[in-house]
């Protein structure tokens, strides 16, 4: 798990529409850490696995939606580091015919191949997943486990994300990251220098994120959120976003996912075009991964006859 010594590449982003606007943009290719435990999910799991091991737990249990990058990552690390894994998945209808569900969902199919056992629950039950009652019922059913919250965010996850930035990143002015639960950006904020600023792009609607981030970042207040680029909410996409992602890939050869990194990059490019950043600003965007989720989105887009994300 600890291949932290291997530094990932900061790649310069050369896009015609922003090339003459006086700022420079780089992207940290955390997506290249691994195809299943890409980017931030690897960072978030690392110290949790050490802890589970220390506590002598044999099973990891976590929660997620049917296309979750986190579910994919937990299944993979479980298989490779000798833990049993249980995924509590939102949507009880997915459990009615497991073979059919797996044949239509590569995220769950891959997690299943990696040995993950699923517990499908209704959306209303899922809402109570962090209550004592719900957890106790799971313990009765599955025995003891090490619990990893939905999206993987806890203090140990934040600690792992404090390892994303490296000394070579000290000369960037702005660090950008996509946000789901806020754990990743909290780690980034904690590891920035006092002269650097962190700018977050929530992939969902909601005003609870600032509080979440504050919970894990006591000292450093040098951050803000850019909340105009969620495209209607978590998992929501439109053709403008997909077209942006496809053009970006064609020009830079860098793949983005439509749930997180595509929205962030759309926002960064839009802000650069609106001259939000001072001339000479050096921006580092974190590619948090998420590419395993593209197939799931594409099957949804196909049903709606919308353009697909190109491979
Ligand atoms: C999970 C995820 C995020 C969000 O991370 P949080 O720590 O939950 O804010 C961002 N990008 C990708 C690709 C992810 O899979």
């Amino acid at each position: 798990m600890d291949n932290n010594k291997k530094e990932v590449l900061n790649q310069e982003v050369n896009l015609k529409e922003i090339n003459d606007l006086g700022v420079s943009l780089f992207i940290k290719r955390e997506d290249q850490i691994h195809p299943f435990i890409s980017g931030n999910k690897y960072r978030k799991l690392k110290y949790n696995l050490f802890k589970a091991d220390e506590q002598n737990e044999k099973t990891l249990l976590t929660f997620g939606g049917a296309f979750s990058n986190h579910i994919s990552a937990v299944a993979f690390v479980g298989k490779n580091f000798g833990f049993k894994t249980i995924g509590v998945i939102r949507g009880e209808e997915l459990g009615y015919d497991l073979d059919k569900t797996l044949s239509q969902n590569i995220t769950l199919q891959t997690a299943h191949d990696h040995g993950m056992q699923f517990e499908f629950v209704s959306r209303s039950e899922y809402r109570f997943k962090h209550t004592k009652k719900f957890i106790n019922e799971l313990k009765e059913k599955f025995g003891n486990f090490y619990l990893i919250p939905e999206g993987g965010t806890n203090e140990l996850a934040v600690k792992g994300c404090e390892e994303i930035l490296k000394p070579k990143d000290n000369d960037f002015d702005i660090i950008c990251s996509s946000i789901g639960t806020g754990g990743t950006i909290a780690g980034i904020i904690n590891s920035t220098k006092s002269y650097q600023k962190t700018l977050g792009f929530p992939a969902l609607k909601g005003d609870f994120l600032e509080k979440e981030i504050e919970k894990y970042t006591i000292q450093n207040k040098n951050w803000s959120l850019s909340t105009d680029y969620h495209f209607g909410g978590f998992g929501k996409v439109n053709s403008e976003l997909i077209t942006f992602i496809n053009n970006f890939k064609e020009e830079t050869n860098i793949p983005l996912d439509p749930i997180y990194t595509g929205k962030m990059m759309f926002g960064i490019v839009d802000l650069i075009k609106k001259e939000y950043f001072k001339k000479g600003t050096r921006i580092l965007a974190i590619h948090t991964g998420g590419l395993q989720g593209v197939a799931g989105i594409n099957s949804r887009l196909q049903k709606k006859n919308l353009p697909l994300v190109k491979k």
Side-chain angles (χ1 to χ4, degrees):
M1 193 76 194
D2 198 5
N3 59 359
N4 197 33
K5 281 152 237 130
K6 201 174 82 186
E7 279 208 19
V8 300
L9 181 73
N10 288 342
Q11 190 173 347
E12 184 156 22
V13 176
N14 285 307
L15 268 188
K16 276 185 230 102
E17 56 179 342
I18 57 168
N19 266 357
D20 298 327
L21 297 178
V23 303
S24 51
L25 175 59
F26 286 74
I27 187 163
K28 185 180 279 297
R29 298 296 305 272
E30 295 267 305
D31 57 308
Q32 292 182 331
I33 291 178
H34 192 277
F36 298 117
I37 34 169
S38 69
N40 64 344
K41 297 303 184 283
Y42 155 78
R43 305 281 179 192
K44 294 175 83 167
L45 285 170
K46 178 177 159 188
Y47 289 104
N48 278 294
L49 292 188
F50 292 164
K51 187 77 172 183
D53 204 36
E54 206 178 287
Q55 295 179 350
N56 224 351
E57 296 290 358
K58 306 284 181 249
T59 303
L60 308 174
L61 180 139
T62 196
F63 309 93
F67 297 101
S68 161
N69 297 327
H70 171 66
I71 287 291
S72 171
V74 170
F76 184 85
V77 297
K79 163 98 179 155
N80 280 269
F81 296 92
F83 294 96
K84 231 180 103 183
T85 54
I86 297 161
V88 179
I89 309 293
R90 187 176 59 231
E92 64 183 338
E93 71 286 354
L94 297 168
Y96 298 159
D97 183 347
L98 185 62
D99 287 341
K100 182 164 168 231
T101 296
L102 296 183
S103 72
Q104 296 173 347
N105 183 321
I106 184 118
T107 301
L108 294 182
Q109 176 68 61
T110 309
H112 178 79
D113 292 345
H114 289 144
M116 182 175 263
Q117 187 181 346
F118 300 123
E119 171 79 357
F120 295 99
V121 302
S122 68
R123 282 161 180 78
S124 53
E125 270 180 290
Y126 192 81
R127 234 168 278 140
F128 294 103
K129 63 186 172 301
H130 291 313
T131 61
K132 257 212 162 79
K133 180 167 174 288
F134 190 80
I135 306 281
N136 282 338
E137 282 169 13
L138 289 170
K139 289 215 157 133
E140 271 167 36
K141 186 156 183 181
F142 297 110
N144 269 340
F145 49 75
Y146 183 87
L147 183 102
I148 305 175
E150 182 183 37
T153 289
N154 57 17
E155 270 180 37
L156 293 174
V158 172
K159 178 175 168 177
C161 292
E162 290 171 3
E163 297 176 352
I164 293 174
L165 293 180
K166 304 284 187 237
K168 70 171 176 185
D169 303 324
N170 288 349
D171 65 340
F172 286 99
D173 305 301
I174 310 255
I175 314 294
C176 295
S177 175
S178 171
I179 304 177
T181 60
T184 302
I185 197 163
I188 292 171
I189 291 166
N190 289 342
S191 60
T192 47
K193 300 283 166 197
S194 57
Y195 53 84
Q196 294 178 311
K197 191 183 164 187
T198 309
L199 184 57
F201 293 81
L204 50 126
K205 276 197 270 191
D207 40 23
F208 58 93
L209 279 174
E210 301 227 355
K211 279 223 162 55
E212 267 307 290
I213 297 167
E214 274 164 16
K215 216 164 79 184
Y216 295 109
T217 56
I218 327 120
Q219 308 238 329
N220 192 341
K221 303 255 180 279
N222 215 1
W223 57 275
S224 64
L225 304 185
S226 190
T227 54
D228 295 334
Y229 301 103
H230 55 63
F231 287 79
F234 188 71
K236 300 258 163 55
V237 301
N238 63 18
S239 336
E240 190 186 12
L241 178 65
I242 304 299
T243 305
F244 171 82
I245 289 171
N246 286 338
N247 289 343
F248 188 87
K249 169 86 197 298
E250 205 168 294
E251 267 194 67
T252 64
N253 211 19
I254 301 167
L256 300 171
D257 83 293
I259 311 285
Y260 294 104
T261 55
K263 292 181 180 182
M264 169 194 70
M265 193 52 79
F266 186 100
I268 295 171
V269 168
D270 195 51
L271 290 176
I272 292 175
K273 287 197 290 193
K274 290 176 172 158
E275 298 186 40
Y276 173 88
F277 303 104
K278 278 200 309 243
K279 289 249 182 301
T281 300
R282 288 173 54 78
I283 303 168
L284 178 65
I286 310 300
H287 195 318
T288 40
L291 299 169
Q292 75 79 29
V294 171
I297 283 281
N298 271 347
S299 65
R300 254 171 56 200
L301 291 169
Q302 197 158 25
K303 283 189 197 129
K304 295 188 195 162
N305 262 328
L306 290 168
L308 305 188
V309 179
K310 290 191 194 129
K311 281 275 160 82

